[in-house]
Amino acid sequence: MAQPAKNENPIRLWGGRFTGEMDPLMNQYNESLSLDRIFYAQDIKGSIAYARANVKTGILTQEEFEKLEEGLKKVLQEWDEGKFQPAPGDEDQLLSVPLYIHTANERRLGEVIGTNVAGKLHTGRSRNDQIATDMRMWLRDELDLIEEHLVDLLKVIAQRAKQDIDYIMPSYTHLQRAQPIRWSHWLLSYAIAFQSDLERLRFTKKNINKLPLGSGAVAGNAFGIDRMQMAKELGFEGLIMNSMSAVGDRDFVVEMLQCASTIGSHLSRWSEDLIIYSTLEFSYVKLADAYTTGSSLMPQKKNSDSLELLRGKSGRIFGAMTGLMMSIKGIPSTYNKDLQESVQPMLDTVKTLRDGLQIAARLLATATVYPDKMRAALSPDMLATDLAEYLVRKGVPFRETHHLAGKMVALAEDENKGMDELTIEQFQGIDKRFGDDVLSVFDYERSVELKDATGGTSRRAVLEQLEALKKTLGG
């Protein structure tokens, strides 16, 4: 196989110390442009802010800055319009040049405005503080989008909870039928989880939004650059106050992955419930065709692939988090090349989570709910606790009423009847304190309405939860 021609003048930001060529396999192993090219806009904006600050240090004249800014904006426009042409030294993995977005942008800048001025841009700056800045800028913008998608999912949950508030279904513990609840109450149980995720996400964004730029390679900037000026221009809320920490920290990626893992866990459990509820054995919910697939062999099948993928991809997010934590847990302080391994899990997790939240919202908005199937799954034994509480209201201690209600459950099973089919005499045969009105207990609507304390499943309590959620969403 013919080898590409050697680049006679490869741009190496670190080239003066080295004269020998890099092993092509090592170059491929070292390559990052295929990933960090996504940071092109952040890299250029950071460079403009850095150049502007260096007018004040005297490194650049105002005229030189304006030339740099004009050139960088042209490079940005080329990227935006898909016209940026990578040079062999930027992209070809067989050449003896490590591949970085910084190299590509600076190389093109030199072509646009000349290397005399372009060569001044990197004064006092390192790839170490540059990539850390690029990543933080990119990630905070992506988390803004993820926040929007999470809010959208919460709005869909709230809308369905309000719309479907009269639907009553079984709740489950240990995957066994427990007590009657409103379908809306189940929906809002996940709203609470996603609401907590939203709060964590916002806190994570705040931690990310601190500027590393101006820290140099490790020891700081030697030209007295005004880092706060750059922070304000780039929209950062503050600075990372120690240069060693600034270049060696990837905790902000880990924190994002931890936050994403929690969201993924909630999406997974939510999906598992809906997978179960959409089976023919339950038939509480039917997914729209847009979020299901069929079988290549069995014509009758309608598979909930969207939910299964949401459940499965949560493991991918968890893996990204644990993988990165293992990569960085033992490295010494400041920058080490291991930190390059933070980029891929960050990019993959952001896309996985961003897509998943949108799928979840659309899936729920278009799902069909069958309240008759939910109600048909209710059974009188699910009101055994209500029966115990009936006697509590007559002054009987709960431990005693629990035992008596259990005896009524056993009697109904022996008689092969529903508890509501037993006679008054049979109730009073167990305990005389059961009154003539005892059968009024066996009313599912009554049962859910009795759970009226804050956080319960009564209509009022559900509406109260909806109101609280509305305030969190700011509308």
Side-chain angles (χ1 to χ4, degrees):
M1 177 178 177
Q3 295 296 313
K6 180 181 177 182
N7 185 355
E8 296 298 332
N9 296 295
I11 296 176
R12 286 180 176 168
L13 300 183
W14 42 270
R17 163 67 175 82
F18 295 82
T19 57
E21 293 187 1
M22 183 179 282
D23 183 324
L25 179 60
M26 176 56 193
N27 185 65
Q28 180 180 348
Y29 204 55
N30 189 43
E31 182 267 338
S32 71
L33 181 60
S34 59
L35 293 176
D36 63 25
R37 64 189 300 155
I38 200 169
F39 306 135
Y40 74 86
Q42 289 77 21
D43 190 70
I44 291 171
K45 291 173 184 176
S47 291
I48 291 173
Y50 190 75
R52 193 189 313 277
N54 268 317
V55 174
K56 190 182 294 186
T57 67
I59 297 297
L60 296 171
T61 66
Q62 182 63 31
E63 182 181 357
E64 287 173 328
F65 164 71
E66 290 171 3
K67 194 172 183 180
L68 279 166
E69 182 180 33
E70 181 181 358
L72 286 165
K73 286 182 176 179
K74 183 174 181 180
V75 177
L76 178 61
Q77 183 179 2
E78 289 178 0
W79 278 109
D80 287 342
E81 295 176 355
K83 296 178 180 178
F84 186 94
Q85 295 295 323
D90 299 333
E91 188 137 278
D92 192 326
Q93 296 180 355
L94 294 179
L95 293 173
S96 58
V97 182
L99 312 174
Y100 303 102
I101 188 64
H102 327 305
T103 308
N105 284 337
E106 188 170 329
R107 184 267 310 162
R108 180 58 182 146
L109 177 65
E111 293 172 353
V112 172
I113 68 170
T115 56
N116 285 342
V117 177
K120 293 186 176 184
L121 175 62
H122 204 61
T123 305
R125 185 173 65 169
S126 166
R127 288 176 300 160
N128 297 355
D129 63 346
Q130 198 171 351
I131 188 59
T133 302
D134 294 351
M135 289 173 67
R136 285 175 183 265
M137 289 174 67
W138 181 87
L139 185 54
R140 73 181 183 194
D141 292 343
E142 290 297 318
L143 292 188
D144 283 342
L145 293 175
I146 287 174
E147 180 178 344
E148 288 179 18
H149 298 322
L150 185 52
V151 168
D152 287 344
L153 175 58
L154 282 163
K155 287 180 177 178
V156 172
I157 292 174
Q159 181 182 2
R160 289 227 69 143
K162 185 175 181 180
Q163 169 188 313
D164 300 344
I165 196 168
D166 293 325
Y167 302 167
I168 297 176
M169 65 177 289
S171 64
Y172 298 85
T173 65
H174 306 276
L175 207 53
Q176 304 295 319
R177 290 183 301 174
Q179 292 179 286
I181 59 167
R182 294 186 184 277
W183 158 251
S184 299
H185 197 54
W186 174 83
L187 286 167
L188 290 170
S189 72
Y190 282 100
I192 295 297
F194 291 130
Q195 183 178 338
S196 295
D197 292 333
L198 182 60
E199 292 169 357
R200 271 187 292 272
L201 182 65
R202 288 169 173 168
F203 182 78
T204 299
K205 282 170 52 181
K206 190 174 183 67
N207 281 347
I208 289 169
N209 204 26
K210 296 176 183 176
L211 179 71
L213 192 61
S215 296
V218 62
N221 182 280
F223 299 96
I225 199 164
D226 187 342
R227 295 183 65 209
M228 188 55 72
Q229 174 188 326
M230 294 188 294
K232 290 177 180 177
E233 178 171 345
L234 295 173
F236 285 93
E237 295 180 13
L239 306 176
I240 299 177
M241 294 300 294
N242 180 282
S243 62
M244 297 176 73
S245 176
V247 300
D249 172 66
R250 291 299 182 272
D251 287 353
F252 69 97
V253 181
V254 172
E255 187 174 355
M256 182 278 292
L257 294 174
Q258 290 170 336
C259 182
S261 294
T262 305
I263 298 172
S265 175
H266 294 148
L267 283 172
S268 181
R269 295 188 67 187
W270 177 83
S271 297
E272 174 66 5
D273 278 1
L274 285 174
I275 289 169
I276 293 169
Y277 295 163
S278 64
T279 61
L280 287 176
E281 287 77 9
F282 282 74
S283 296
Y284 297 170
V285 176
K286 183 171 77 173
L287 305 186
D289 289 350
Y291 304 101
T292 59
T293 64
S295 166
S296 61
L297 178 65
M298 297 169 284
Q300 82 281 8
K301 291 292 295 301
K302 186 174 185 179
N303 301 324
S304 55
D305 282 19
S306 53
L307 293 167
E308 292 166 17
L309 285 168
L310 285 170
R311 184 178 60 185
K313 285 180 184 291
S314 66
R316 182 171 176 164
I317 296 173
F318 301 158
M321 175 190 69
T322 54
L324 179 58
M325 292 180 74
M326 292 304 99
S327 292
I328 66 176
K329 71 175 182 63
I331 62 176
S333 61
T334 75
Y335 186 82
N336 297 266
K337 201 55 177 274
D338 315 51
L339 297 181
Q340 184 168 295
E341 292 304 302
S342 63
V343 177
Q344 186 168 13
M346 180 181 75
L347 301 184
D348 186 69
T349 294
V350 163
K351 176 170 173 46
T352 300
L353 186 58
R354 186 179 59 208
D355 293 350
L357 287 168
Q358 292 177 84
I359 291 292
R362 296 174 189 180
L363 179 153
L364 182 60
T366 57
T368 303
V369 181
Y370 295 98
D372 54 332
K373 295 289 188 179
M374 294 177 173
R375 188 169 284 269
L378 299 169
S379 58
D381 59 293
M382 297 177 66
L383 300 173
T385 302
D386 294 74
L387 183 63
E389 291 169 350
Y390 166 88
L391 288 177
V392 166
R393 290 184 172 86
K394 293 179 176 287
V396 184
F398 178 75
R399 285 300 170 200
E400 185 179 350
T401 68
H402 184 281
H403 176 72
L404 294 171
K407 293 183 72 172
M408 295 307 306
V409 171
L411 177 60
E413 288 178 350
D414 290 343
E415 295 279 329
N416 197 26
K417 294 180 178 179
M419 292 177 68
D420 58 336
E421 297 176 308
L422 297 174
T423 65
I424 300 296
E425 290 75 23
Q426 286 175 306
F427 276 96
Q428 292 179 343
I430 295 294
D431 194 284
K432 295 295 184 184
R433 289 170 291 189
F434 286 118
D436 293 343
D437 61 345
V438 67
L439 293 178
S440 65
V441 167
F442 299 100
D443 181 327
Y444 303 118
E445 187 74 33
R446 172 185 177 276
S447 177
V448 296
E449 283 304 293
L450 282 173
K451 312 305 187 298
D452 192 44
T454 297
T457 192
S458 71
R459 173 184 284 269
R460 187 208 63 79
V462 167
L463 290 173
E464 184 179 45
Q465 293 171 53
L466 276 168
E467 190 61 30
L469 178 58
K470 183 179 177 182
K471 289 179 180 177
T472 298
L473 298 177

